[in-house]
Every structure is written in C-alpha cells, then in structure tokens.
Amino acid sequence: MRTHSIMSKLQLSLAIIKPHAVKNPVALSYIRNVIKNKFVVIETKRVFLDQETAGNFYIEHTGKFFFNRLVTFMSSGYIDLHIIGHTNAIELWRRMLGPTKVYKAQFDDPNSLRGMFGISDTRNVAHGLANISRERNQIFLS
C-alpha cells in the first residue's frame, strides 16, 4: 500500500542523454549516477533514432535555423532514454541540466550537467521534457 502512495505522488519526466554524452564514458557514468541517486528510474532504453523519427520528435522546431543540425545530430548515434520520477521531477531535472546555452551554463552554472559536459548548444548533453506521453509513444515504444 505504501508503494502505491509513493508512486501516485511521483511526477514523471523524460531524460534524453544525447549521442555525444552516450559516447563519453566519463560523462555517461556521471549522468547515470545523478539520475540513479536523485530520481526513481521507471524505465531505461538505449535507442538509435533515424532521421525521420528524430525529425518527428522535434517537429515543433521545423523551419528554425537549427532544425537540420539538431535532427542530424540526434540521429548520429545512440541516445539513452530514462523515464524518471520524483515529487518534482521536471523542475529538478531541468535545474540539474542547467541553462540550454552551454556557454551560459559554463559561466553561470558550471556544476550543472551542461556546464560540465556540454560542447555546444546542440551538443548540450541532455534534453528534459515535461510531457512524456507523446515522447514515450514515439520513442520508447517504437
């Protein structure tokens, strides 16, 4: 009964570890430890996105200057997907990621995941999402 009570209070989010971080054993180990120690891990999966799936996933960015670069990058190697839970999962994961702009993260929040392991605004370690239903249907169950 207690487990049901705890699970019903969990807020879920989707943490996507981007290809360059999956290829970096130091970054990947650190990020996995952060996830394991701060969240309840509901499900984990490693996938390879083709360009079509990546384009559909980031469809809201179609037409923006970075869209092709983002889709090409996200389909350049494996990504790790984690459905994570915490009473405040969305805000906590975003806070741990730090600013989206890596340059800003390195100066304003150097201990954030992006501050430590980000390379560029596209290769910024990870992605955090609030609404996991669409993402879970598109990637986790594919």
Side-chain angles (χ1 to χ4, degrees):
M1 198 66 159
R2 179 162 160 62
T3 303
H4 182 275
S5 174
I6 292 169
M7 292 299 283
S8 66
K9 294 179 183 177
L10 284 180
Q11 180 183 68
L12 299 179
S13 186
L14 178 61
I16 301 174
I17 313 306
K18 293 184 176 184
H20 72 290
V22 170
K23 292 175 190 171
N24 178 335
V26 173
L28 187 59
S29 176
Y30 186 90
I31 294 165
R32 283 181 174 164
N33 281 332
V34 165
I35 289 172
K36 182 178 74 176
N37 290 321
K38 298 287 185 181
F39 300 93
V40 174
V41 179
I42 309 298
E43 191 172 353
T44 296
K45 186 175 183 180
R46 178 168 284 181
V47 299
F48 186 90
L49 297 181
D50 58 36
Q51 287 210 335
E52 181 182 357
T53 304
N56 289 335
F57 184 77
Y58 289 105
I59 199 159
E60 70 273 11
H61 297 304
T62 302
K64 295 182 181 173
F65 74 94
F66 59 84
F67 177 75
N68 288 335
R69 181 176 62 228
L70 178 62
V71 169
T72 300
F73 170 62
M74 291 302 289
S75 59
S76 70
Y78 285 96
I79 61 173
D80 282 356
L81 305 166
H82 304 279
I83 294 179
I84 54 176
H86 187 276
T87 55
N88 194 17
I90 296 164
E91 203 246 308
L92 178 60
W93 179 240
R94 287 183 174 165
R95 196 169 1 121
M96 295 174 87
L97 285 174
T100 305
K101 304 274 186 202
V102 168
Y103 184 77
K104 182 172 176 50
Q106 290 172 339
F107 285 92
D108 293 347
D109 197 357
N111 293 320
S112 68
L113 296 175
R114 288 176 174 145
M116 290 187 286
F117 302 113
I119 297 170
S120 70
D121 292 346
T122 303
R123 299 171 194 265
N124 64 357
V125 178
H127 191 76
L129 298 163
N131 179 2
I132 68 161
S133 61
R134 176 180 68 93
E135 291 81 7
R136 192 169 203 281
N137 290 338
Q138 283 186 355
I139 294 179
F140 251 99
L141 300 177
S142 62

